[in-house]
Amino acid sequence: MMTPVRSAMVLAAGFGERMRPLTDKMPKPLVPLMGRSLIDHVLDRLNAAGVETAVVNVHYLPEQIEAHMAARADRAPKTIISDEREQLLDTGGGATKALPLLGEGPFFIHNSDSVWSEGVTPALSHMRRHWNPALMDCLLLLAPLSTSIGYGGRGDFDMEPDGRISRRGERQVVPFAFAGVSLCTSALFENAPEGPFSLNLLWDRALEKDRLFGVRLDGRWMHVGTPEALKEAEASFEHEGA
């Protein structure tokens, strides 16, 4: 049975420093890819997965993102701004602040620079199908390094056949990168610290309890972090006819 997911957090507050000069005067979520802004790719995909409300946090050039959200007000999902003008809260702190808007969950937390071409199984539906709160505090979408674009690291996680995951050791190379989307409930945030902190802190707590799982992306992930990666993603979309 597929779990309904009605709300999502879209992380859109960062400076996008690696995307300069494109982000000198434009927030990274508004950088265009194939004629649509990165954040529109994300919101349209969330809408297709049944998400009704998306909370979008803002900090850098926030007025531009607010104006963009206002311009698409007649398109689903409904968007709500979480204002971080006074203090940038990082991924964990930003999601913690937005919890009253997200509800108990389950809800997605989606990076605004993570896009992909779908495989046979749409990724967000795949996550909903695998979500099991009896076993999991958090479920991560993981992309195989072998088919990913714009990622130059040695991987983030290894994954067992049952979906249990482990972090890469210091000198290891592992086959999967975090593809920028997680699925969780408010329970993940119990005893979360105040102020800025990374979601990695909460993932490590879940790992210690053997409650952090992953699901493999059946498609080509594109980490659009730099101008060069943006060009690669454009070329890939054009080649695949996406």
Side-chain angles (χ1 to χ4, degrees):
M1 183 177 176
M2 197 180 299
T3 303
V5 179
R6 305 298 187 200
S7 60
M9 174 91 193
V10 180
L11 299 169
F15 290 100
E17 292 179 351
R18 294 175 61 235
M19 189 64 89
R20 288 179 174 165
L22 298 178
T23 51
D24 285 342
K25 297 181 180 179
M26 173 191 297
K28 184 177 177 182
L30 298 188
V31 169
L33 170 66
M34 298 299 291
R36 284 191 294 153
S37 69
L38 291 173
I39 200 167
D40 280 340
H41 282 273
V42 170
L43 291 169
D44 291 345
R45 185 156 279 155
L46 289 169
N47 178 50
V51 169
E52 298 169 356
T53 302
V55 180
V56 180
N57 65 343
V58 298
H59 176 80
Y60 175 61
L61 301 176
E63 295 84 2
Q64 291 187 35
I65 296 178
E66 287 176 326
H68 187 81
M69 293 303 101
R72 58 168 287 148
D74 59 342
R75 294 165 59 188
K78 174 187 176 183
T79 56
I80 303 172
I81 297 294
S82 180
D83 195 331
E84 296 181 23
R85 280 174 172 83
E86 291 186 7
Q87 184 182 29
L88 185 60
L89 292 171
D90 203 346
T91 54
T96 301
K97 177 174 180 172
L99 283 178
L101 302 171
L102 292 166
E104 292 295 314
F107 47 80
F108 291 113
I109 302 176
H110 201 312
N111 292 354
S112 60
D113 62 353
S114 186
V115 295
W116 59 84
S117 58
E118 298 282 20
V120 175
T121 308
L124 300 186
S125 296
H126 200 37
M127 294 180 75
R128 289 167 54 200
R129 193 173 290 113
H130 278 74
W131 173 249
N132 183 350
L135 294 176
M136 305 170 183
D137 285 343
C138 191
L139 177 66
L140 307 184
L141 182 64
L142 301 182
L145 298 192
S146 57
T147 57
S148 297
I149 289 175
Y151 178 86
R154 294 184 293 167
D156 300 314
F157 296 97
D158 204 350
M159 181 163 53
E160 301 297 325
D162 67 357
R164 284 181 168 83
I165 60 178
S166 55
R167 284 196 182 274
R168 177 179 62 82
E170 187 176 344
R171 298 185 181 181
Q172 273 185 299
V173 176
V174 289
F176 295 101
F178 172 57
V181 189
S182 60
L183 180 59
C184 62
T185 68
S186 60
L188 180 70
F189 295 83
E190 287 179 12
N191 301 313
E194 295 183 7
F197 71 94
S198 170
L199 280 170
N200 279 288
L201 173 69
L202 303 184
W203 295 348
D204 285 342
R205 290 180 181 178
L207 266 175
E208 290 173 4
K209 296 185 289 183
D210 199 27
R211 292 182 61 83
L212 186 67
F213 282 71
V215 64
R216 179 188 179 120
L217 170 67
D218 181 22
R220 185 184 293 272
W221 178 53
M222 305 170 198
H223 178 240
V224 189
T226 65
E228 293 73 28
L230 182 67
K231 292 176 184 176
E232 282 188 71
E234 291 260 5
S236 179
F237 270 121
E238 288 173 355
H239 176 71
E240 295 178 20

